[in-house]
């Protein structure tokens, strides 16, 4: 009898645990920040952050929009910390009440239509515009600056993402060399000319570049103003490798490949053109 009672008790405990895990997953949904095996990105910049491919692409776009607007690096840190807390750096289709998107902005509060807010560039631009209107935000703690924009019921929540956001901002704004390394899946979302065209289009939209066209159906090349800009574009390209079919990125004597998922020195002749060069996967 005692054995049966013990077994029954064990079964009950297991069922309770399973139900508890299911409830957590159901409530958290896309907010869980568990990286997908085989599609992870590691960012090393005086600290280490690991994201999955979608999170990395969203973080890269948030940083690029901040730079395009001429916002200081501190603003990018605040924006990334806000998106970390609000959505787990995911472009959510829903949320609390009518909140949607990376920053969980609400149409009913004048942030835009749901479709607009689900556009990552639109959402980031609206966040930066609102932050810029906050007097003295530059001297505030990350969580205080974010709270003045978001007006959250949990005003201290943003601060816990400050360290991760600083690591990401340093890498994505080109302060560190070869800092973003992504391992992408075996099957790219896009191939060939379609991938090259979309990659160029989105690079231009995120960074506000002009006169940049695909060099050919196999990829693109962009001439940076300086080394920092070069690593901004290179890290952006790697961040968007999974969703744009990027096979290889090269800048100076460093090269990232989808095969290895890491940056390494280029054997032989260095890329002397000064350009950031990206190659996409060919069809088939």
């Amino acid at each position: 009898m005692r054995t049966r009672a013990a077994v029954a008790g064990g079964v009950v405990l297991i069922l309770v645990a399973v139900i508890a895990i299911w409830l957590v997953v159901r409530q958290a949904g896309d907010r869980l920040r568990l990286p997908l095996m085989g599609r992870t990105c590691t960012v090393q910049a005086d600290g280490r952050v690991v994201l999955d491919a979608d999170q990395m692409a969203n973080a890269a776009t948030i940083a690029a929009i901040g730079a395009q607007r001429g916002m200081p690096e501190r603003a990018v840190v605040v924006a990334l910390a806000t998106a970390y807390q609000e959505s787990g750096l995911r472009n959510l289709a829903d949320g609390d009440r009518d909140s949607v998107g990376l920053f969980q902005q609400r149409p009913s509060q004048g942030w835009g239509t749901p479709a607009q807010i689900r556009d990552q560039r639109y959402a980031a631009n609206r966040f930066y515009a609102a932050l810029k209107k906050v007097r003295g935000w530059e001297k505030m703690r990350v969580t205080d600056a974010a709270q003045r924009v978001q007006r959250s019921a949990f005003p201290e929540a943003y601060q816990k993402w400050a360290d991760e956001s600083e690591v990401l901002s340093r890498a994505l704004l080109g302060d560190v060399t070869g800092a973003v390394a992504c391992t992408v899946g075996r099957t790219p979302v896009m191939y060939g000319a379609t991938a090259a065209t979309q990659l160029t289009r989105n690079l231009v939209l995120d960074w506000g570049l002009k006169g940049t066209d695909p060099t050919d159906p196999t990829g693109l090349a962009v001439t940076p103003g300086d080394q920092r800009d070069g690593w901004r574009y290179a890290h952006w390209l790697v961040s968007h490798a999974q969703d744009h079919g990027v096979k290889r990125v090269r800048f100076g004597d460093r090269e990232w490949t989808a095969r290895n998922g890491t940056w390494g020195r280029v054997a032989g002749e260095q890329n002397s053109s000064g350009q950031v060069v990206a190659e996409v996967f060919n069809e088939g």
Side-chain angles (χ1 to χ4, degrees), residues 9 55 58 92 94 145 164 170 189 208 235 247 278:
Q55 292 171 310
N58 288 329
L92 301 180
D94 53 25
E164 287 91 341
R170 284 192 292 268
V189 174
H235 289 156
K247 181 179 181 181

Side-chain angles (χ1 to χ4, degrees):
M1 293 296 292
R2 290 181 179 177
T3 301
R4 290 183 178 178
V7 171
V11 171
V12 170
L13 288 175
I14 292 172
L15 287 174
V16 170
V18 170
I19 292 171
I21 293 171
W22 178 81
L23 287 173
V24 169
V25 172
R26 186 172 184 271
Q27 290 295 320
D30 281 342
R31 295 173 190 269
L32 290 176
R33 301 190 308 113
L34 300 176
L36 298 176
M37 294 301 294
R39 294 197 302 158
T40 59
C41 296
T42 302
V43 182
Q44 300 270 12
D46 297 327
R48 184 173 183 271
V49 172
V50 178
L51 301 175
D52 68 28
D54 290 338
Q55 292 171 310
M56 192 70 242
N58 288 329
T61 291
I62 290 171
I65 294 299
Q68 182 183 162
R69 293 180 64 94
M71 299 293 286
E73 190 164 328
R74 180 70 171 177
V76 175
V77 173
V78 174
L80 288 169
T82 302
Y84 248 128
Q85 172 59 27
E86 295 290 354
S87 68
L89 288 170
R90 300 188 187 283
N91 193 18
L92 301 180
D94 53 25
D96 179 47
R97 288 173 283 188
D98 60 336
S99 300
V100 295
L102 287 169
F103 299 93
Q104 288 292 276
Q105 294 155 331
R106 298 180 60 193
S108 64
Q109 300 300 310
W111 287 98
T113 67
Q116 287 175 321
I117 297 171
R118 288 295 306 284
D119 181 320
Q120 295 97 319
R121 297 181 191 94
Y122 175 92
N125 269 304
R126 286 300 307 268
F127 179 86
Y128 286 119
L131 179 63
K132 192 172 183 178
K133 294 178 181 178
V134 176
R135 182 174 298 180
W137 70 266
E138 301 92 337
K139 298 180 180 179
M140 295 179 182
R141 291 188 306 154
V142 167
T143 198
D144 294 333
Q147 173 62 7
R148 291 290 296 274
V149 176
Q150 298 296 107
R151 302 185 184 279
S152 169
F154 305 97
E156 291 293 319
Y158 306 102
Q159 193 64 33
K160 64 178 175 284
W161 304 113
D163 291 344
E164 287 91 341
S165 298
E166 287 175 0
V167 171
L168 288 174
S169 66
R170 284 192 292 268
L172 293 170
L173 294 180
D175 295 335
V176 186
T177 297
V180 178
C182 295
T183 302
V184 302
R186 295 181 180 180
T187 305
V189 174
M190 302 177 188
Y191 293 88
T194 298
T197 299
Q198 284 295 107
L199 188 66
T200 303
R201 175 183 179 274
N202 289 328
L203 179 70
V204 168
L205 289 173
D206 275 11
W207 289 101
L209 302 178
K210 297 184 184 300
T212 301
D213 298 307
T215 55
D216 57 53
T218 67
L220 64 85
V222 59
T223 303
D226 54 29
Q227 281 286 114
R228 191 182 188 214
D229 280 349
W231 282 111
R232 289 179 175 189
Y233 305 149
H235 289 156
W236 184 95
L237 289 163
V238 174
S239 298
H240 284 276
Q242 178 64 36
D243 58 353
H244 286 78
V246 179
K247 181 179 181 181
R248 187 187 313 271
V249 177
R250 185 174 178 181
F251 181 52
D253 65 347
R254 303 292 297 277
E255 182 179 75
W256 169 90
T257 62
R259 179 177 181 179
N260 296 325
T262 58
W263 286 92
R265 298 286 178 183
V266 178
E269 184 179 352
Q270 179 178 337
N271 175 15
S272 59
S273 67
Q275 292 184 311
V276 181
V277 180
E279 178 186 350
V280 298
F281 283 95
N282 292 322
E283 293 189 68

